[in-house]
Every structure is written in C-alpha cells, then in structure tokens.
Amino acid sequence: MKIDSFYLSYLARDLESSFRGARINAVLCEAYFYQLDTTKGPLLISLLQSSPLIGKTFLPTDKKERKLSQMIGNLSIDAIRNVEGDRIIVFQLSDRLKIINRQLLVELIPNYATLLILENDNIIFSTRLIGAGKRSFVLGKRYLFPPKPEGATNLYHPLRKEIIEKVPEHARHFLEKHLSRRDLPHMVVARELAWPTPSATTTALDLASTEVSRQIESYYENIERKNARKVTQWEQRGPIDKQEIEERVGKLKRWGQVLLSLPLDTKGEVLIKDWVTGEETSVNLSQFHTPVEAAKSFFEKAKKTEKQLLNGETKKARFARKETSAKAQRYPYRRILYDDVPIYIGLSASGNDFVTFSSAPEHWWFHVKEGTGSHVVVRTSFLTDDIAQVAAKLAAFHSSKSAENKVEVVYTQIKNVTRHPKNKKGLVLYKNFQTIVVEPASEETVLGTT
C-alpha cells in the first residue's frame, strides 16, 4: 500500500475522531509493532517496511514496552494531525492537569519509519538513530522535520501528476477540484495507489487497520517459517557423536601437557605424541614465543570443543521441545486452510483478541459453551455445514472440555461479538448464536480427513 500526504490527512482525521480524549494505559511492543492500549481501544503503529501505517487493531502479544509505558502512560490524546507535505502523524499528549505536555511523532516514511517522543520539541525517545534526510535522532537534541526534496512540486503520490495528465482536458479541472477537497466523509485506498473517494462504508482508518492486521500476520508467518527451517537444518546435521568429541578433547589436553614438558628454549618444528592413543602431530614452535604458549593454544582448543559439545546438546534439547509442545506457547494464534477456507485459532488471550477483532463482521466465530478456550474464526461469509463442523471440533479441542466425548460449541458472526465491559483480553460477549455438538479434534486430525 503506497500512501501520500493527502491520504494521511484523512487517516489523521479518522484517528482523531476515534481516539481524541483517550487515555493511554500502556504500550505493548513486538518487533516493528507498537500498540497504544487506550481507554478507547487499541491503536497500533506499524513500522514494518516498506509500508509503515497506523491502524485500529490488536497486537497479539502481552509484552510491555516499559520505557514508552513510563513516558506516555496515563497521558491523554488531546489532538492528532498530520504534517502537510511530510508522511508524519503527530499525537499531542498531556496529563489530566495539563502539567506534562509531550508529542508522539510517527514518521511513516518507507525505509526510515520511526516512532519518537518529544518534550519541549526535544527528542526523549526514538526507535531509530538515523531518519530520512540523514537526520540524527540524538536524545536531548531538538527535533527537525525532514527537508523537502529540492524542486519537488508534487507533495502527494509520485504518480498523481502523470495520471491527472492522462485525464481528458475537459474533465481534468473537475478531478483536480475533487482531489483538493477536505470535506469528504470517507475515502478508499487502492492496493497500490492511494486515491480519495467518498464511500459510505469504509474509512481511511478501516483500510489502514486491515493492512496493519495483514502485516502482523505476515510477520508471524515469517517467524514460523524461519524456525521451521532451523529445525530442518538441525535435523539434517544428524546426531552428535558425544564420544568422538570427548576423545578429541582428551587428546588436545594431552598434547598440551606434552608441550609443557619441553624445555623453554625449544625452537622449530617438533613432533609430539599422545601417550594414550599413540597419535602424533607436528607443532611449529616458531609461531609461539615458548612451548608454554603453544600448550595454551591446545588447551583453548580443547575448551572450545567442550563448549561446542555443550551448545550442541542444548540446541538438540531446545529443538526437541519445539517439535513437541512449544508451538502453542510461542505463537499467539494458528492459521490453517480447510477446503481453501482460512480458519484462525487463538492460542493465548492476546491471540484470541487478534483473531476475533481483526476479522470482518461477516466472518464466523466459534467458542466452547460454558467453558474456557480458544476463539476459532472462520474467515468466510458463506459457512457450510462441513466447515462449521471442523471449526467447532477445533474450538472443542482447544478448550477446557477437550477430554469430553461430546462438547457443545456456540457460533455466530463476528458482528454479534463484543468486548467484555471489563476490557480484559480474551473476554467477550456474544448474541444471536447457534449451538452445535461435536467431538473434539486437533488440527492434524481434521486436516488428515480432507
């Protein structure tokens, strides 16, 4: 998604209408993503390249960014605006008594996306050291906006001028007049080109939120693929021959002891022998000042080899755990395809929030009745009986009733699911639901029956 200053003016307006007056409770962080946990819902800042954005969606993590939480926690959002001509959105923050006044700046500049906190126009926090225009973000120094490119007349999308020129001349002034309007209630952004267009259903914030959710999914999928590759690479190495490594360690130590027994004035190349195995090796003492230094080098090699063995056994144990039960603890949700329909399974409270509230209103939500468990979401508006059975089995399997033979599961569309008044992660209220009784089944089981 390419964005421009014109689009950001709509996004800033939508953000202000949704979050003005909200108090920031805490800041959550996962790599390139920062979620402002506010009294008016989650505000998620994505610094992921090459399409940094801000949306209203959940980050599936419970990791707090302590420094940011201390800096802007309990502050309220007074105003949100974008800087004309620059891809920057500014949040004006203050405490209840208006004693503390700070700014949260988000530079949505591809390759230089940055989150900064300013106090009296001075930088007190930055996620980067260098910004666009080769600016240095030094703590305590005054913040400078990025300089505009010399000779730049088009502050909006780089292709806007060329596209307007292709419009017939008799209609061009109507298009230019339309593009200069700021009173449009909504706007739609295309996948590769941002154009403001009135719409009764979708706002700039809605589209940005959808894109940010997609970026989060892509991020977690990449992590899972990388870890799977590491497991495969480790398996291909084969088992560790512990006895062989221990024998080499002993041999290196014995050679070192032989070198210690040589006279200190020994020079040139010498042949030393392991008195246990009878194996011989030559050592060029001209590389060392004394035989003692040469002996030290052998003892260091033995130490490194021992460390190699220890690391190898640790990695082996870690990857063994990964294959058995660590997956549910590592990833906040899991996604599977059944008959080309995506089914999402929340594996934690934050994962449940994400799979539920980043889905469309017409998607289908499943949960065990009168029990605790995962939120299972089928991302389709057309729910067949077969897919409903599969989703219900998964919801029953990932629940407190997984040991029972028959489990009652409720399901309804996302539009009928709302957050609990306590605003606690994973807790929801639902209405207009139906029930289904199924036997619990894991992902491997349901996929094996396709």
Side-chain angles (χ1 to χ4, degrees):
M1 176 185 285
K2 294 179 180 178
I3 58 175
D4 61 12
S5 301
F6 198 88
Y7 165 66
L8 289 187
S9 67
Y10 284 91
L11 180 58
R13 181 197 60 193
D14 292 344
L15 286 168
E16 183 169 43
S17 65
S18 296
F19 290 98
R20 186 171 185 177
R23 190 181 73 252
I24 299 171
N25 297 320
V27 182
L28 305 180
C29 177
E30 180 73 38
Y32 312 99
F33 303 97
Y34 294 84
Q35 177 184 307
L36 305 186
D37 192 5
T38 79
T39 52
K40 292 190 177 182
L43 191 154
L44 204 151
I45 298 165
S46 167
L47 303 182
L48 188 70
Q49 306 298 349
S50 58
S51 302
L53 265 179
I54 302 176
K56 187 178 183 179
T57 187
F58 289 89
L59 180 61
T61 186
D62 293 315
K63 299 176 186 174
K64 278 190 179 180
E65 217 298 341
R66 291 187 179 181
K67 188 177 286 187
L68 274 176
S69 295
Q70 291 171 356
M71 285 183 173
I72 61 177
N74 292 321
L75 297 185
S76 296
I77 300 173
D78 294 335
I80 302 174
R81 63 184 175 87
N82 83 298
V83 178
E84 185 65 31
D86 295 310
R87 298 179 180 186
I88 299 171
I89 288 185
V90 182
F91 296 79
Q92 197 69 43
L93 311 174
S94 68
D95 66 341
R96 187 171 57 87
L97 299 175
K98 306 297 180 184
I99 296 173
I100 300 175
N101 290 285
R102 288 177 177 169
Q103 287 182 322
L104 187 155
L105 269 74
V106 186
E107 295 193 356
L108 301 175
I109 303 173
N111 302 321
Y112 292 98
T114 316
L115 183 152
L116 304 109
I117 305 294
L118 307 184
E119 189 170 54
N120 298 325
D121 294 329
N122 295 326
I123 301 169
I124 60 173
F125 178 89
S126 175
T127 56
R128 293 180 64 94
L129 296 176
I130 303 294
K134 296 182 179 180
R135 296 168 300 147
S136 297
F137 295 137
V138 181
L139 298 185
K141 297 291 184 180
R142 190 175 183 81
Y143 172 80
L144 299 174
F145 286 98
K148 295 181 177 62
E150 292 184 11
T153 56
N154 180 19
L155 299 178
Y156 304 116
H157 195 282
L159 298 179
R160 181 175 301 224
K161 184 178 178 181
E162 288 79 355
I163 292 175
I164 289 177
E165 287 175 350
K166 293 179 182 178
V167 175
E169 191 171 350
H170 67 276
R172 194 176 300 166
H173 73 281
F174 289 108
L175 177 60
E176 290 177 337
K177 185 178 180 180
H178 170 76
L179 292 177
S180 64
R181 288 177 61 187
R182 294 301 177 93
D183 60 336
L184 298 176
H186 307 285
M187 73 169 286
V188 174
V189 181
R191 188 83 185 115
E192 292 298 330
L193 190 64
W195 286 98
T197 314
S199 167
T201 57
T202 309
T203 67
L205 181 57
D206 293 332
L207 290 160
S209 302
T210 302
E211 175 66 13
V212 170
S213 295
R214 188 194 66 79
Q215 291 179 8
I216 292 170
E217 289 185 31
S218 176
Y219 165 75
Y220 279 108
E221 286 171 8
N222 286 336
I223 289 179
E224 195 163 356
R225 279 196 293 267
K226 285 179 183 177
N227 287 334
R229 281 199 299 269
K230 286 180 182 178
V231 173
T232 305
Q233 289 169 0
W234 181 255
E235 287 174 342
Q236 291 172 350
R237 292 179 184 178
I240 300 170
D241 193 335
K242 186 176 180 180
Q243 184 178 350
E244 184 180 333
I245 294 176
E246 287 176 345
E247 288 176 358
R248 174 161 176 76
V249 169
K251 188 164 49 181
L252 287 167
K253 288 180 178 179
R254 288 191 291 272
W255 278 337
Q257 289 170 354
V258 171
L259 287 167
L260 285 176
S261 65
L262 296 177
L264 289 176
D265 58 351
T266 305
K267 303 292 183 183
E269 192 166 325
V270 296
L271 193 67
I272 57 177
K273 184 177 181 179
D274 178 6
W275 64 82
V276 174
T277 63
E279 188 176 343
E280 295 180 334
T281 186
S282 62
V283 180
N284 188 0
L285 294 177
S286 60
Q287 300 175 3
F288 307 94
H289 292 295
T290 63
V292 175
E293 284 192 10
K296 283 183 180 178
S297 71
F298 275 83
F299 292 140
E300 286 174 2
K301 285 179 184 176
K303 193 174 181 180
K304 284 182 181 177
T305 308
E306 280 182 325
K307 192 175 180 181
Q308 209 172 26
L309 174 63
L310 180 63
N311 287 343
E313 289 180 332
T314 305
K315 285 181 181 178
K316 186 177 180 181
R318 186 167 69 245
F319 284 119
R321 288 196 302 272
K322 181 181 293 185
E323 288 180 305
T324 53
S325 62
K327 193 163 193 173
Q329 300 170 3
R330 180 170 291 106
Y331 302 109
Y333 65 89
R334 188 177 183 188
R335 175 182 180 271
I336 65 169
L337 286 175
Y338 184 87
D339 285 347
D340 295 326
V341 176
I343 300 176
Y344 286 74
I345 308 159
L347 301 177
S348 66
S350 54
N352 283 339
D353 264 7
F354 178 76
V355 299
T356 299
F357 296 109
S358 66
S359 301
E362 67 272 12
H363 293 163
W364 291 86
W365 180 86
F366 290 74
H367 194 276
V368 65
K369 188 176 183 181
E370 296 177 354
T372 58
S374 296
H375 295 196
V376 176
V377 175
V378 182
R379 291 195 173 176
T380 180
S381 56
F382 181 70
L383 184 70
T384 64
D385 291 340
D386 189 25
I387 293 175
Q389 283 279 338
V390 168
K393 288 179 179 181
L394 293 171
F397 180 81
H398 292 278
S399 77
S400 57
K401 299 185 178 183
S402 59
E404 300 179 14
N405 291 328
K406 296 294 180 181
V407 179
E408 197 170 8
V409 175
V410 299
Y411 66 100
T412 185
Q413 288 185 295
I414 295 289
K415 63 185 177 183
N416 297 318
V417 181
T418 56
R419 287 183 64 78
H420 195 277
K422 290 183 179 179
N423 208 31
K424 195 173 181 181
K425 286 191 175 183
L427 286 181
V428 297
L429 300 174
Y430 53 88
K431 61 182 180 180
N432 301 335
F433 61 90
Q434 302 175 59
T435 60
I436 183 172
V437 179
V438 294
E439 184 179 347
S442 66
E443 297 92 302
E444 290 74 21
T445 302
V446 298
L447 291 175
T449 59
T450 56

